Amino acid sequence: MKKSCLAIFSAVIALSSAHGQNASSNLTTFTPSALLSKGQYEIQSFNNLYTQNSVRDAAGDEVNLNQRQIFLTSISNHHKIPQSC
């Protein structure tokens, strides 16, 4: 497993260095500051879904809940790109 991951990682590094100039131009093309014009809005949304069907009590023993609990958290952020940047 470790050898195959290392081989894949090495292949990705080799390919990216072969196309080094293209990668750097893509980096500058797809950065948020290049994609958004002045006066536009940027909206970010981060979602997290967590499920559990057992918990630990004060003694550290696992307690089965006999049901699944689902927790969804969401954070949204938006701001306007200033005109004078």
Side-chain angles (χ1 to χ4, degrees):
M1 173 78 177
K2 287 184 180 179
K3 289 182 181 181
S4 63
C5 289
L6 183 59
I8 292 171
F9 181 72
S10 299
V12 168
I13 295 296
L15 287 173
S16 65
S17 55
H19 300 314
Q21 281 186 326
N22 191 19
S24 66
S25 65
N26 283 340
L27 179 64
T28 56
T29 302
F30 295 111
T31 56
S33 61
L35 294 174
L36 296 173
S37 300
K38 294 175 181 161
Q40 289 184 321
Y41 286 91
E42 176 182 20
I43 300 173
Q44 300 171 333
S45 178
F46 302 96
N47 298 311
N48 184 30
L49 180 66
Y50 173 76
T51 65
Q52 68 181 20
N53 54 14
S54 63
V55 294
R56 301 274 177 180
D57 62 9
D61 299 325
E62 185 176 4
V63 177
N64 191 354
L65 298 173
N66 296 322
Q67 66 180 6
R68 181 178 301 269
Q69 293 180 334
I70 301 172
F71 303 95
L72 174 65
T73 57
S74 179
I75 300 172
S76 295
N77 181 22
H78 69 279
H79 68 279
K80 185 174 182 178
I81 305 300
Q83 294 286 341
S84 60
C85 281

